[in-house]
Amino acid sequence: MSVEQPLWRALAGYRVLTLCYAGVGFAWSYGEFAHPVPGTVYLAALLVWTSLTLGQVSSAERCTRWFLAADLSFALVGILLTPYVDAHGQVGPTLPSIWTAAPVLAFAIKGGWRWGGASALLVGAANVAESGALTRATLHNALLVCVASVAIGYVVEVARASERTLARALQIEAATRERERLARDIHDSVLQVLAMVQRRGTAIGGEAAELGRMAGEQEVALRTLVSSGVVPQPREPREARPAQQPREEPQEAESGTSSDLRSLLAVHAGPGVSFAEPGRPVLLPPHAAGELAAAVSAALDNVRTHTCDEKGEPARAWILLEDDGDEVVVTVRDDGPGIPAGRLDEAAREGRLGVALSIRGRLGELGGSAALETVRGQGTEVEMRVPRDG
């Protein structure tokens, strides 16, 4: 709903209430008017007009300029007709009374403070013409209407600008989240393959070394693109899955709309990776389970990539899965050399966003967190927490 919609509803109510007030005031002083019949005809016409146009003041689109001009004309005619109806000049307010502020406020809500101020000046001039002189009371009433219309018009302009800014911010946020998701997918697939080709090609030598060099160049270019501000067109989200290298997808054990995280993590167990799990299923929504499993895969890729010894063998890794009730905790630990101080910041500047995007980015979208602890010569531990209601 637009931020100005409550103002239109309030204006519709104001028109009805002030019409009733004008009718009661006219009936109360009916016997004091010199020519009450024209006044009765005018108020009847004003009643019909207000009743038929309540739908026009429901939004800025329906409140057209032609309607605003006709609405203001009704107010001006009623003001200028008052001297003839009240020939003695003793009754007091004009025939439309405070209903005259309704078209002025409509101008302000529709076109801002400039439209509101201009229409208020017209109403003020008509009041001066009706009284025959610029009296203190006339000036007071004109100033009140003018100040109210300018203030409301300014508030509407600020509200519309804020609404546009908020809509733009939401679009940017959605595009940024899509870019980060795409960057995670690229990091978990293409970049890992290019890095592997570069390492293997360099180790083999010969023509393979040239292939590895080209793969390294493409990896650097792609990392630069991912870490830049290039924002793709948003598309429909899909279920994320932990994709590192082509392998057979594990069979998910589902319970209703939940997935057993144990089956997703068990595929990592092998000669160099130990997996410890609870004795009962650890259930999470499929998307959350897939994102958490992908974060674990990214952590293991970091172990395979950055902890290799002289023989090319990576450090040993352990995966510990815990179910704490309100949250699920997965810990990935290795016995490698650890991460040098400042290396993560340096990697982020180089476009190597494995920890920032594939791990912390995924968990952040799930309402979770990732804590990294490393000790030189003793290995690294990544603790990932995901709330069940995230």
Side-chain angles (χ1 to χ4, degrees), residues 242 261 264-265 282 284 286-298 321 328-330 358 362-363 366 369 384-386:
L261 188 60
L264 297 178
L265 300 183
V282 181
L284 281 176
H287 175 68
E291 291 288 81
L292 183 53
V296 172
S297 297
L321 174 60
V328 174
V329 182
V330 180
S358 291
R362 294 182 187 277
L363 299 179
L366 299 176
S369 62
M384 293 167 271
R385 295 178 174 270
V386 173

Side-chain angles (χ1 to χ4, degrees), residues 32-35 82-90:
E32 302 178 23
F33 288 111
H35 306 94
T82 301
Y84 175 76
V85 176
D86 183 18
H88 305 294
Q90 298 179 354

Side-chain angles (χ1 to χ4, degrees), residues 162-177 234:
S162 300
E163 189 175 30
R164 289 192 297 268
T165 302
L166 177 60
R168 178 58 180 162
L170 292 176
Q171 291 176 355
I172 294 175
E173 180 186 7
T176 301
R177 290 170 67 90

